Amino acid sequence: MIILITGASHTGKTLLAQRMLEKYKYPYLSIDHLKMGLIRSGDTSLTPEDDDALTDYLWPIIREMMKTAIENHQDLIVEGCYIPFDWRKYFDERYLPSIRFVCLAMSDAFIDAHFDEIKNHNSDIETRLYDMGFTADTLKEDNHYYINGFAQYGERVMLIDTDYEDIINAILENN
């Protein structure tokens, strides 16, 4: 089983992946780690701010790693924001039944009510080095981008609207 976790920044993708690793004992691939390894090694001139270009660059690698894991009957959690909205078109019926897709996003009301708390948890699992310009408005914009983008392709987005832990626990229980 591949668990593909994506969504807006600061929604708890990494925290969810860590909890899944602990619960299911599946290995976990952070797309951010892959991104930074490729950037720091000099294999690309892209920077951490080149989101769209990074998706185009990283997705072929990630999807082929996922296919390899499925073919080898290996479990894997893949977590990060560099997943194209039309990700399903890259997998045929041999692969899709083995992929569980999870997208996290927050409602505007949740962001308004919990912005300071969200900021205080931004480094719970990993230290964020690049967090400039992070405001409630930029967070809302990022969440709208994921909600609307994945909705265009009929993907379900787990909308965090009232209680964050309830949503995370529901995802963990329904895997």
Side-chain angles (χ1 to χ4, degrees):
M1 172 65 63
I2 304 296
I3 303 173
L4 182 59
I5 304 170
T6 193
S9 180
H10 294 83
T11 54
K13 297 180 301 293
T14 306
L15 177 64
L16 177 59
Q18 180 67 35
R19 288 190 184 172
M20 285 183 165
L21 176 145
E22 292 166 3
K23 181 174 182 176
Y24 303 114
K25 310 298 187 232
Y26 292 0
Y28 141 50
L29 170 68
S30 166
I31 299 172
D32 281 341
H33 292 174
L34 176 61
K35 168 190 76 176
M36 292 310 299
L38 291 165
I39 289 170
R40 287 179 172 178
S41 70
D43 281 355
T44 180
S45 61
L46 297 172
T47 71
E49 288 80 35
D50 296 325
D51 286 339
D52 290 339
L54 282 164
T55 298
D56 293 342
Y57 182 68
L58 294 169
W59 179 242
I61 299 165
I62 295 160
R63 74 173 186 244
E64 296 309 317
M65 291 174 71
M66 291 169 58
K67 288 177 184 176
T68 301
I70 292 167
E71 291 162 357
N72 289 317
H73 305 286
Q74 294 174 305
D75 299 314
L76 181 63
I77 300 164
V78 178
E79 173 270 322
C81 61
Y82 303 103
I83 308 300
F85 299 133
D86 61 350
W87 70 272
R88 286 183 190 272
K89 79 177 188 183
Y90 298 96
F91 298 94
D92 62 33
E93 293 306 314
R94 290 178 294 168
Y95 300 103
L96 285 171
S98 299
I99 302 171
R100 175 154 184 247
F101 175 78
V102 177
C103 180
L104 297 175
M106 296 174 178
S107 70
D108 286 356
F110 185 85
I111 294 168
D112 286 337
H114 300 278
F115 184 69
D116 288 337
E117 189 178 344
I118 294 165
K119 281 192 333 189
N120 291 336
H121 287 282
N122 77 347
S123 292
D124 282 356
I125 300 297
E126 62 186 3
T127 302
R128 289 182 185 266
L129 300 177
Y130 306 101
D131 219 2
M132 298 189 234
F134 177 63
T135 67
D137 288 337
T138 61
L139 184 57
K140 288 176 187 178
E141 183 180 315
D142 193 33
N143 278 269
H144 288 221
Y145 175 78
Y146 282 88
I147 292 166
N148 296 331
F150 281 113
Q152 288 180 42
Y153 291 92
E155 296 292 350
R156 180 174 180 221
V157 174
M158 299 299 294
L159 188 63
I160 301 163
D161 191 37
T162 53
D163 188 280
Y164 175 82
E165 283 298 324
D166 285 349
I167 294 291
I168 298 302
N169 289 332
I171 294 168
L172 288 168
E173 291 171 15
N174 292 318
N175 186 38

